[in-house]
């Protein structure tokens, strides 16, 4: 019992440097931070399951229709996908630098690196726009208007190519929605930092939580890129690809 | 301002060099995965796929371990993160069912008569019907 009292005093005694960001139900800032970070990870775990189910479905269909998926994937632009991968990796680095700035209380560092992250996010979406445009131009969006021209799907079975593009638009589209949400959340965080709002200035954990979300978005793309853009040729040498 | 300093420093602050080296490693791995996809490895395309996935796992480990700070996290957070990503491989257990079946999982969207299912799942006979089709063995037959 005396132990608890000791901790209690440590957490709430103002003479020991009480942080105004600490909520009354927590013993100290360490406990509060751990609680917040664990809560954020709980959300990320649900996201792993959310995207995980799509990855399982994609793997299954790719296994079944590997030749058609390979042919259909030749329409994708590896250069654009690669640049987007690099953009997201750099944006992840910007975010960790912003979190480091928040830990050290360096407002300018936080704002500069978060602005860099926003720039990367917008670059990503711009490249995505050009990628999607070229698919729409060839009627590769799944549905009744799906192309009947075998050239557009590089001579894959049209139904299976449509499944491939269903996964392509579904998974990269869902990822792009996460980027959009990230832009909003980071923008909100930047506004708080710009106004020196006590909630972010006194406690780095909010910046860290937004950072964790952004890293997760990067993680998803780390798997999307090789699975969609970098398919190796499954045809035996006697047959060859189209 | 003075009162916040000790509390701001209660968390491990990672040096910039660590973050920058991680970014360099991630960049090299990204270039490696692009290059590896164009190489014909002995053992066929499955080796390409395994290499691509292995590189993706190393990249994701670097992001989770360094960028997401699991290396310096409390045991509870670390347990949460590890368990979360263990769920993903567990989901793939369902493949034991699919991989023992020779036919396709779903029929095409056309009417049954115009469907080419089940097709042979190899390159040479990609547009022919499977031998079982002549005996009426269709997924929804």
């Amino acid at each position: 019992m005396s132990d608890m009292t000791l901790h209690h005093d440590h957490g709430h005694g103002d003479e020991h440097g009480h942080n105004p960001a600490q909520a009354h139900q927590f013993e100290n800032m360490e406990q509060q931070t751990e609680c917040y970070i664990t809560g954020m990870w709980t959300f990320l775990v649900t996201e792993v399951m959310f995207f995980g189910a799509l990855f399982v479905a994609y793997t299954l269909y790719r296994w079944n229709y590997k030749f058609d998926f390979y042919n259909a994937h030749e329409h994708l632009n590896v250069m654009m996908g690669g640049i987007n991968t690099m953009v997201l990796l750099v944006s992840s680095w910007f975010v960790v630098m912003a979190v480091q700035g928040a830990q050290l209380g360096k407002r300018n560092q936080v704002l500069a690196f978060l602005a860099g992250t926003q720039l990367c996010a917008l670059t990503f979406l711009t490249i995505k726009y050009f990628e999607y445009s070229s698919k729409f131009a060839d009627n590769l969006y799944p549905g009744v208007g799906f192309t009947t021209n075998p050239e557009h799907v590089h001579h894959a079975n049209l139904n299976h190519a449509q499944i491939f593009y269903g996964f392509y638009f579904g998974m990269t589209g869902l990822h792009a929605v996460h980027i959009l949400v990230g832009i909003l959340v980071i923008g909100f965080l930047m506004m708080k930092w710009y106004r020196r709002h006590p909630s972010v200035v006194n406690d780095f954990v909010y910046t860290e939580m937004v950072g964790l979300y952004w890293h997760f978005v990067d993680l998803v793309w780390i798997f999307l890129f090789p699975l969609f853009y970098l398919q190796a040729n499954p045809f035996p040498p006697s047959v060859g690809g189209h | 301002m003075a009162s916040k300093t000790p509390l701001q420093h209660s968390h491990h602050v990672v040096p910039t060099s660590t973050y920058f080296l991680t970014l360099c490693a991630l960049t090299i791995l990204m270039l490696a995965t692009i290059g590896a996809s164009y190489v014909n490895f002995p053992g066929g395309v499955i080796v390409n796929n395994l290499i691509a996935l292995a590189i993706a796992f190393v990249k994701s480990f670097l992001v989770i371990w360094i960028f997401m700070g699991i290396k310096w996290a409390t045991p509870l957070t670390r347990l949460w993160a590890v368990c979360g990503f263990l769920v993903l491989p567990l989901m793939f257990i369902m493949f034991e069912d699919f991989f023992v079946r020779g036919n396709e999982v779903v029929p095409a969207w056309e009417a049954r008569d115009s469907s080419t299912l089940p097709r042979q799942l190899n390159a040479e006979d990609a547009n022919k019907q499977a031998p079982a089709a002549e005996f009426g063995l269709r997924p929804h037959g």
Side-chain angles (χ1 to χ4, degrees), chain A residues 17 19 30 34 41-42 52-53 56 62 64-65 67-68 86 96-97 100 102-103 159-160 201-202 204 219 232, chain B residues 7-8 10-11 14 16 27 48-49 60 67 74 76 80 85 88 91 95 104-105 108 110 119 121-123:
Chain A
N19 191 322
E30 283 77 14
E34 181 178 36
W41 270 101
T42 309
V56 169
R62 167 115 172 251
N64 276 322
Y65 308 135
F67 306 109
D68 296 312
M86 202 58 232
V96 287
M97 291 309 294
Q100 188 201 56
Q103 288 171 339
N159 286 336
H160 302 163
V201 173
N202 291 332
F204 72 92
L219 271 183
Chain B
L7 291 154
Q8 288 281 356
S10 63
H11 195 81
V14 183
T16 307
T27 308
N48 287 78
N49 292 338
S60 58
F67 279 0
T74 59
L76 177 66
W80 220 242
F85 285 100
L88 186 62
M91 291 170 96
F95 279 78
E104 289 174 290
V105 181
E110 290 96 351
R119 299 190 311 146
L121 295 175
N122 61 54

Side-chain angles (χ1 to χ4, degrees), chain B residues 34-109:
Chain B
I34 294 176
S37 71
Y38 293 105
V39 179
N40 289 320
F41 290 103
V45 71
I46 187 78
V47 179
N48 287 78
N49 292 338
L50 290 176
I51 288 173
L53 277 181
I55 293 174
F57 273 110
V58 173
K59 281 166 78 181
S60 58
F61 174 79
L62 284 176
V63 171
I64 295 165
W65 195 245
I66 309 286
F67 279 0
M68 297 173 99
I70 286 301
K71 184 179 179 184
W72 303 280
T74 59
L76 177 66
T77 312
R78 199 179 284 185
L79 176 75
W80 220 242
V82 169
C83 290
F85 285 100
L86 279 181
V87 169
L88 186 62
L90 286 178
M91 291 170 96
F92 282 82
I93 287 175
M94 69 168 75
F95 279 78
E96 61 161 278
D97 181 39
F98 289 114
F99 283 178
V100 296
R101 297 175 195 278
N103 59 351
E104 289 174 290
V105 181
V106 289
W109 290 303

